[in-house]
Amino acid sequence: RRIRPDVIYAPLNWQALPLIAEVLDARLGVPVVFHFKESPQMAMEMGHWRVVRRLLRESAGLVLINQECRDWFEAATGEAFDDATTLLLDGDLPAAAWATDDWAPPLSERDGEIHTVCVGRVRVEGRDVVDSMTDLARAGIHVHLYGETYQKWSADWVAAGRETGHLHLHPLVLPRDWVRELSQYDAAWPHVHRSTNEGDIRRAHWDDLNLPARLGTYAVAGLPWIAVDNAGHRVATQSLARRLGIGVFYTELDDLAHRLSDRASLGAARRAVRAHRAELLFDTHVGTLTDFFRKV
């Protein structure tokens, strides 16, 4: 009431839902734009689904992170959202200030081996790295893992992974160093999973709907995304990667090693990431977002 804002922008994840509901209850006479990401399933689990339903109905504007999420919410609620008051925009895009040109030469050009990177937790097809590192090492794929948090929480599987000689630990990398440090790798790991929704959005789970926050980090560093070939299923990361031509899709881990060894195809994917990098930066979309605020 003291600030008298033109609009209240209400992002992003399930932890904010009770506070956003309080804002609505205050009846301030200020339009609320609800930007929701992670996740409808967690909202249900934490007892906030009624709040989500209310925000979908009562917010002046709705921002969802991709078409898959919009389709899922419309199926789950039985409501068709108004195009005029609905915007699709990821809420975890990085700032353009971090998209430098401090490119590093690939490690693979030095030793001839495949070097991949993960910032955060490695999960390959629903398994922790301790279960998958043996298969990755057998396929000749190195994994460089950044960030001490998961390394400390999961010391047992880190130790087992390091025994393969193909898991390498690194400290947290700050945004200003993303390009300089991460661009030396061939490709990067988001959350890799095999979908089972068979094209039915009602059967999609969060791995199908999500655009992990690390995708922006990888885009800044010019890294293609590693993903299971989930053809025939609705998977948001797959849809975006195929549209931009920045995915390395595989069926089995041996197939992944072959694809990462195809220098021509991998080089094309790396060039595509750099060409589309701006699309995955927040600054690029500020005008679209502020225009949406004005509209609602």
Side-chain angles (χ1 to χ4, degrees), residues 177-188:
D177 298 319
W178 282 347
V179 177
R180 183 184 306 110
E181 180 68 22
L182 302 180
S183 62
Q184 65 183 310
Y185 302 113
D186 296 309

Side-chain angles (χ1 to χ4, degrees), residues 22-197:
E22 284 187 47
V23 172
L24 281 183
D25 289 339
R27 304 298 177 190
L28 301 173
V30 180
V32 172
V33 173
F34 177 44
H35 189 169
F36 191 47
K37 181 168 185 175
E38 190 169 359
S39 71
Q41 288 82 359
M42 279 301 300
M44 292 178 182
E45 183 176 336
M46 302 305 295
H48 297 316
W49 182 244
R50 289 186 178 180
V51 175
V52 172
R53 290 292 302 266
R54 181 185 173 197
L55 290 169
L56 294 175
R57 289 192 305 267
E58 297 184 24
S59 298
L62 173 63
V63 186
L64 297 172
I65 65 171
N66 53 48
Q67 186 64 47
E68 287 79 7
C69 279
R70 175 173 179 168
D71 292 346
W72 187 93
F73 274 107
E74 289 185 334
T77 62
E79 300 177 15
F81 301 146
D82 186 351
D83 290 338
T85 55
T86 305
L87 177 67
L88 301 182
L89 178 65
D90 190 3
D92 282 321
L93 300 177
W98 312 128
T100 68
D101 292 321
D102 301 329
W103 306 108
L107 284 176
S108 56
E109 292 183 357
R110 185 188 314 164
D111 62 15
E113 300 193 351
I114 300 168
H115 291 269
T116 64
V117 65
C118 178
V119 291
R121 184 181 184 186
V122 178
R123 284 186 64 78
V124 180
E125 301 177 36
R127 299 178 295 165
D128 283 325
V129 69
V130 66
D131 301 315
S132 56
M133 269 310 305
T134 301
D135 294 334
L136 291 170
R138 188 180 300 116
I141 299 172
H142 293 264
V143 177
H144 294 259
L145 180 61
Y146 282 78
E148 296 92 333
T149 300
Y150 286 119
Q151 296 170 16
K152 291 178 181 177
W153 289 356
S154 306
D156 53 346
W157 58 253
V158 166
R162 295 191 74 182
E163 288 181 1
T164 68
H166 282 65
L167 177 64
H168 313 279
L169 305 184
H170 302 270
L172 176 75
V173 56
L174 295 176
R176 63 173 178 264
D177 298 319
W178 282 347
V179 177
R180 183 184 306 110
E181 180 68 22
L182 302 180
S183 62
Q184 65 183 310
Y185 302 113
D186 296 309
W189 296 93
H191 306 302
V192 177
H193 77 289
R194 291 188 183 273
S195 179
T196 58
N197 66 51

